[in-house]
Amino acid sequence: MRSEEADLVNKLSARLSEEIENLPRDGKDHELTIKIKGNRGHINLGHQTFDIKTAKEPPPAGSDRARECPQCRRCTWRYTQLCMHCDYNLQRHDEVTEHAKEQARKERLNLQTLKICISCVAIAVLIFIASDYLPVTLKPWAVTLTGVLGLFAFMLTTASKKS
């Protein structure tokens, strides 16, 4: 687009915006006429009709672009930052929700690790106590198994502290 045409389009857009702002906000249809005089090169605007809607419209029912606002529970657009009804910050809500889910996942993982460690230590202690009652040929195996389970529990706790 040449600079002269771009300048004309910018002026026309500014004038349209100004006229739209001056329209009454009574919800009725209003006619807006802008007359352009003179020959402006190859731009032929002709007769145009524009529907200008100032009210916010929710997404179509069943659309994949719709979502429910967690604050007002009304249907709003999925990929906007603010709810169109109550201006709730949907983007921040999604970030906080994702962070909470990640924290819950980490807590579940830590709880599972703790259960495994306690089980390993309990089994190791039982094997160590029972080794006194085992035949002499099985005592070295019992002590070795106790050490392996203790080492495994230690490695699990060390790994869970790093993550």
Side-chain angles (χ1 to χ4, degrees):
M1 187 182 290
R2 295 187 337 229
S3 64
E4 182 181 306
E5 291 174 355
D7 186 44
L8 177 62
V9 170
N10 288 338
K11 286 180 182 177
L12 182 60
S13 295
R15 178 86 166 107
L16 272 172
S17 296
E18 179 183 323
E19 289 296 324
I20 290 168
E21 286 298 316
N22 292 333
L23 288 173
R25 299 190 188 280
D26 55 6
K28 297 178 183 175
D29 290 340
H30 295 279
E31 187 173 310
L32 177 62
T33 305
I34 297 178
K35 294 182 181 178
I36 302 172
K37 296 180 183 178
N39 184 4
R40 294 291 185 161
H42 300 291
I43 299 176
N44 181 7
L45 297 175
H47 180 74
Q48 307 253 349
T49 302
F50 299 95
D51 286 333
I52 301 167
K53 298 178 181 178
T54 56
K56 297 176 184 176
E57 291 186 26
S63 171
D64 62 342
R65 295 175 290 167
R67 75 177 284 178
E68 183 181 275
C69 173
Q71 180 169 307
C72 69
R73 302 286 182 216
R74 294 173 71 188
C75 186
T76 188
W77 294 97
R78 176 177 302 280
Y79 300 109
T80 57
Q81 181 175 355
L82 302 175
C83 172
M84 61 184 285
H85 304 288
C86 65
D87 290 334
Y88 182 70
N89 193 334
L90 299 168
Q91 197 172 36
R92 179 71 181 137
H93 173 81
D94 292 342
E95 290 170 3
V96 168
T97 303
E98 187 62 35
H99 180 71
K101 285 180 184 177
E102 182 65 24
Q103 286 299 106
R105 188 192 67 77
K106 284 182 180 178
E107 288 176 11
R108 281 193 308 274
L109 183 63
N110 286 341
L111 186 60
Q112 288 173 345
T113 304
L114 181 63
K115 287 178 183 178
I116 292 170
C117 288
I118 290 173
S119 299
C120 287
V121 169
I123 293 170
V125 168
L126 287 174
I127 291 172
F128 186 74
I129 292 171
S131 67
D132 289 340
Y133 303 102
L134 293 174
V136 177
T137 56
L138 292 178
K139 284 187 180 186
W141 288 99
V143 173
T144 303
L145 188 57
T146 301
V148 168
L149 287 171
L151 181 62
F152 182 68
F154 175 75
M155 288 172 43
L156 275 176
T157 55
T158 307
S160 69
K161 286 180 184 177
K162 290 181 182 177
S163 60

